[in-house]
Amino acid sequence: MLSQGFVSAAAIAASVLFILSLGGLSNQEKAKRAVWYGITGMAVAVFFTAFGPGIGGYWWMIPMIIIGAGIGTWMAGKVEMTEMPQLVAALHSFVGLAAVFVALSADLERRRVLAARAVDGVMHDFSAFAALVATKAPEELAFLQVEVVLGIFIGAVTFTGSVVAFGKLAGKVDGKPRQLPGGHLLNAGAAALSVLLAVLYLNGAGFWTLLALALLAFFIGYHLIMGIGGADMPVVVSMLNSYSGWAAAAIGFTLSNDLLIVTGALVGSSGAILSYIMCKAMNRNFVNVILGGFGGSQGPAAEIEGEQVAIDAAGVASALNDADSIIIVPGYGMAVAQAQTAVSDLVRKLRAAGKEVRFGIHPVAGRLPGHMNVLLAEARVPYDIVLEMDEINDDFASTDVVIVIGSNDIVNPSAQEDPNSPIAGMPVLKVWEAKQVFISKRGQGTGYSGIENPLFFKDNSRMFYGDARDSLNALLPMID
């Protein structure tokens, strides 16, 4: 059994490692080392917490740690990069559910301590947490009740919201925004009832108030995320990441665990900041995101004229051979087709031919922040030719060829031209300003978000139909 001094020192060390990890992830070249900081910090946190003072039950705790580590290792090896967004959403749900269980258990232990005090005031065979509760003054117990309420509410919203986000990202739930009759009034009513239940609980009502609060929060999480369209799922994942952090922080206060408080605050604040940045990139209102109030259409969309004109690999190759400047815009379709290696091979061949090749990355490309950057780094695409939207958007007008691989909303001119579009006002990559645009796409459908794209019908656009990896591999032998 380790002393409290060791545990406190380990908590500080782990917190520093987590901060270094977050800081390093902002730079692609330092990201690998930053991940190892995070892994080391978590290992330190788990070990010193598990063997700290007042902890017991190792006969079942250690097997559970081993089983959990085994499942995590198996999942890490099995999950493809295309499935990473839904995996992240699933992991967020675990944090939320853990917060609910810890908060309910904390209240049961609180009631047990109070019952013992009322009978004879003797400390019986209490758990480590109950022993901690027994040392608290009445005002501290009142604050503990507030922590319990917050832990249950935030955790329950995070759990069901993350489950729905997982379903939408995995294609198991319709990506279109859907709400029950009553819409946001149902959410507002559930939130008002939650406040009422919290007040009743804080004024001495029974354990049933917490169970009812959890059920209402489960509903709110479900209904909030169901009301958000698939086009906005990247922001939703980031938002739920923030929620899971605050849920972890609530657990930390309940358990008097400084490390959980620090870690939860880091995750919660960084997730909130990232959500705000992404909302700005999509011209969304941050409050609307939190309330689940966007994702639907604003009115009748503008009519699209023209037709989609297909082109074969030989035609695309001819244009690439004649071009001097080329920009590639990747989207989720590249991830689905696992075409990043084919893209990298094409880039190397084009650059060897003396052509200027760069990538344009939208902040919400894919279904997870940084999704495209990770895929391109995995395929060993040089960092210096991967540019963000603000860095490259003004260059499309002077570019000979743009290749769009599996993108829809982030290259949709309706965002700027149609005020009734669901993505009206969203900053997009202005690929249509280039001399020629080739769109690699499986078929003529509207894609995951269900929003039609006028780009596909423009005179300088050609549709390069087929699986992205197969299409790009067909180009390679034709590049001079």
Side-chain angles (χ1 to χ4, degrees):
M1 190 74 67
L2 300 172
S3 69
Q4 184 58 47
F6 274 114
V7 174
S8 299
I12 295 173
S15 299
V16 171
L17 287 169
F18 291 146
I19 293 171
L20 291 173
S21 179
L22 281 175
L25 291 174
S26 63
N27 185 301
Q28 289 176 317
E29 296 179 357
K30 299 178 181 178
K32 186 174 181 179
R33 183 172 58 188
V35 169
W36 278 108
Y37 284 146
I39 292 172
T40 304
M42 185 55 67
V44 169
V46 171
F47 178 83
F48 281 89
T49 299
F51 294 96
I55 305 298
Y58 294 109
W59 63 272
W60 62 265
M61 182 191 300
I62 292 177
M64 290 298 101
I65 292 176
I66 294 173
I67 292 172
I71 293 174
T73 302
W74 173 76
M75 290 181 66
K78 180 178 181 295
V79 173
E80 300 288 346
M81 274 304 302
T82 53
E83 300 171 322
M84 196 58 64
Q86 50 261 47
L87 175 62
V88 171
L91 294 176
H92 291 163
S93 72
F94 296 160
V95 178
L97 193 58
V100 174
F101 285 151
V102 169
L104 292 174
S105 299
D107 188 69
L108 289 174
E109 294 290 71
R110 180 188 68 86
R111 293 174 186 276
R112 186 182 176 198
V113 169
L114 292 177
R117 283 180 178 176
V119 173
D120 52 18
V122 177
M123 290 291 292
H124 297 281
D125 184 22
F126 285 165
S127 67
F129 178 74
L132 174 66
V133 172
T135 64
K136 292 181 179 293
E139 60 272 14
E140 292 177 310
L141 287 178
F143 190 72
L144 174 63
Q145 288 181 275
V146 175
E147 297 163 6
V148 166
V149 168
L150 292 176
I152 289 175
F153 185 81
I154 299 173
V157 169
T158 302
F159 173 69
T160 49
S162 298
V163 170
V164 173
F166 167 84
K168 289 198 173 192
L169 290 168
K172 300 180 185 297
V173 177
D174 192 346
K176 295 181 179 179
R178 298 186 183 280
Q179 290 184 325
L180 296 173
H184 296 303
L185 289 177
L186 282 176
N187 295 335
L193 282 175
S194 298
V195 172
L196 176 61
L197 288 169
V199 171
L200 290 174
Y201 165 71
L202 294 174
N203 283 277
F207 188 72
W208 67 269
T209 54
L210 294 181
L211 296 177
L213 175 64
L215 290 175
L216 285 171
F218 282 143
F219 168 77
I220 292 173
Y222 159 80
H223 204 231
L224 278 176
I225 308 306
M226 281 298 294
I228 299 177
D232 302 310
M233 276 300 114
V235 183
V236 172
V237 172
S238 177
M239 178 183 68
L240 290 170
N241 177 58
S242 178
Y243 288 178
S244 69
W246 300 125
I251 295 174
F253 280 109
T254 302
L255 298 178
S256 296
N257 187 307
D258 295 337
L259 182 57
L260 268 176
I261 295 171
V262 172
T263 305
L266 283 173
V267 174
S269 57
S270 61
I273 292 170
L274 179 59
S275 297
Y276 175 78
I277 293 172
M278 294 177 70
C279 286
K280 187 176 180 181
M282 297 175 70
N283 195 37
R284 300 298 195 193
N285 184 288
F286 185 61
V287 175
N288 284 350
V289 176
I290 296 174
L291 297 178
F294 65 94
S297 62
Q298 308 300 313
E303 294 291 333
I304 298 177
E305 298 179 354
E307 60 180 355
Q308 298 184 18
V309 180
I311 192 171
D312 59 13
V316 177
S318 176
L320 290 173
N321 287 328
D322 292 339
D324 293 320
S325 57
I326 300 161
I327 296 177
I328 300 174
V329 177
Y332 188 67
M334 185 183 78
V336 172
Q338 299 183 24
Q340 59 268 28
T341 301
V343 171
S344 181
D345 292 339
L346 178 64
V347 169
R348 278 194 288 270
K349 202 161 186 179
L350 290 170
R351 296 183 79 191
K355 302 179 187 301
E356 180 189 31
V357 184
R358 294 175 293 167
F359 286 82
I361 307 295
H362 194 279
V364 294
R367 295 188 186 172
L368 194 71
H371 198 180
M372 297 299 102
N373 302 77
V374 171
L375 289 176
L376 295 175
E378 179 187 36
R380 300 187 182 281
V381 171
Y383 297 140
D384 59 334
I385 66 171
V386 180
L387 304 178
E388 299 299 325
M389 178 178 65
D390 293 340
E391 299 175 293
I392 204 168
N393 227 4
D394 292 335
D395 297 344
F396 284 108
S398 58
T399 299
D400 295 323
V401 172
V402 170
I403 302 178
V404 177
I405 305 176
S407 292
N408 188 3
D409 300 336
I410 64 173
V411 293
N412 193 331
S414 293
Q416 296 186 357
E417 300 170 358
D418 182 7
N420 290 328
S421 171
I423 58 171
M426 170 180 165
V428 292
L429 291 159
K430 296 182 285 189
V431 300
W432 58 89
E433 294 183 352
K435 295 177 183 177
Q436 292 179 285
V437 183
F438 300 110
I439 301 101
S440 176
K441 197 169 180 289
R442 287 181 181 271
Q444 295 187 353
T446 56
Y448 179 71
S449 67
I451 302 173
E452 191 62 83
N453 192 341
L455 170 70
F456 304 159
F457 301 84
K458 288 186 176 293
D459 293 338
N460 63 336
S461 295
R462 294 294 182 269
M463 306 303 295
F464 190 25
Y465 291 122
D467 178 85
R469 181 171 58 182
D470 294 342
S471 298
L472 293 173
N473 283 331
L475 285 178
L476 290 173
M478 304 181 193
I479 302 300
D480 297 334

